[in-house]
Amino acid sequence: MAKLTILEFPDPRLRIKAVPVEVVDDKIRSLVSDLLETMYEAPGIGLAATQVDVHQRVLVLDISEDKTAPLALINPEILSLDGIEVTEEGCLSVPGVYEKIERAEHITVRALDLDGKSMEMEAHGLLAVCIQHECDHLDGKLFVDYLSELKRQRIRKRLEKSRRLDVAESLKAPAI
Ligand code: GNR
Ligand code: NI
């Protein structure tokens, strides 16, 4: 397993639309294992391949409290969306930003599992929100896209400033 680097807004690579996986082979299974390691380490409850600069339709999730329920969805398709739910969302690619976002409360999803077998599942609440958030990533979409242009610009400026400060700090600190 390997921990991968997570791209951050407004990196243009987060806007690339991921292509479907053709064969679920050991390379895909190894990507899933790297995504899970990266997600747990972050820590986060979901991660899409797009966020680690791999533009294939693969995502992982684990909304359990004790991190014991990893789930991988390959070529996910949302078949139905019902109801409305507002959740305070965050994103590992938009660090430190939390905003209320409206999504469907109940969804059904079809995807391939790690054996390449097609499966369907229903999701409610946080799991449903998280699947919608990760599917958006695979289409090059971020949760900040649901906010106003003004809010998005402010978030971009804030992140760019905090990254400049990080670089300045790293230049001051003695090398280890
Ligand atoms: O860790 C995450 N938490 C979260 C909380 C509310 C709604 C969505 C998410 S997903 C996010 C991890 C992430 O950025 N996945 O792409
Ligand atoms: Ni995200």
Side-chain angles (χ1 to χ4, degrees), residues 98-164:
Y98 302 90
E99 295 282 350
K100 290 199 170 90
I101 304 290
E102 206 178 278
R103 305 220 188 236
E105 191 276 326
H106 173 223
I107 62 171
T108 57
V109 196
R110 177 160 60 214
L112 301 179
D113 66 15
L114 283 179
D115 299 319
K117 213 166 84 295
S118 181
M119 54 134 164
E120 275 183 34
M121 62 181 273
E122 270 191 66
H124 295 263
L126 184 60
L127 183 60
V129 166
C130 196
I131 292 172
Q132 292 170 79
H133 176 117
E134 304 313 334
C135 286
D136 272 356
H137 276 302
L138 300 179
D139 289 328
K141 190 163 176 142
L142 298 170
F143 84 104
V144 294
D145 298 347
Y146 295 103
L147 306 173
S148 69
E149 179 69 31
L150 178 66
K151 261 194 170 172
R152 195 163 43 255
Q153 294 294 335
R154 284 192 181 138
I155 289 167
R156 184 174 56 75
K157 289 194 177 121
R158 179 148 38 101
L159 289 176
E160 281 169 351
K161 183 173 178 192
S162 91
R163 277 197 284 275
R164 282 199 305 277

Side-chain angles (χ1 to χ4, degrees), residues 43-48 51 87-93 126 129-130 133-134 137:
I45 58 172
L47 191 66
Q51 292 175 278
T87 310
E88 180 117 314
E89 293 196 21
C91 181
L92 296 171
S93 295
L126 184 60
V129 166
C130 196
H133 176 117
E134 304 313 334
H137 276 302

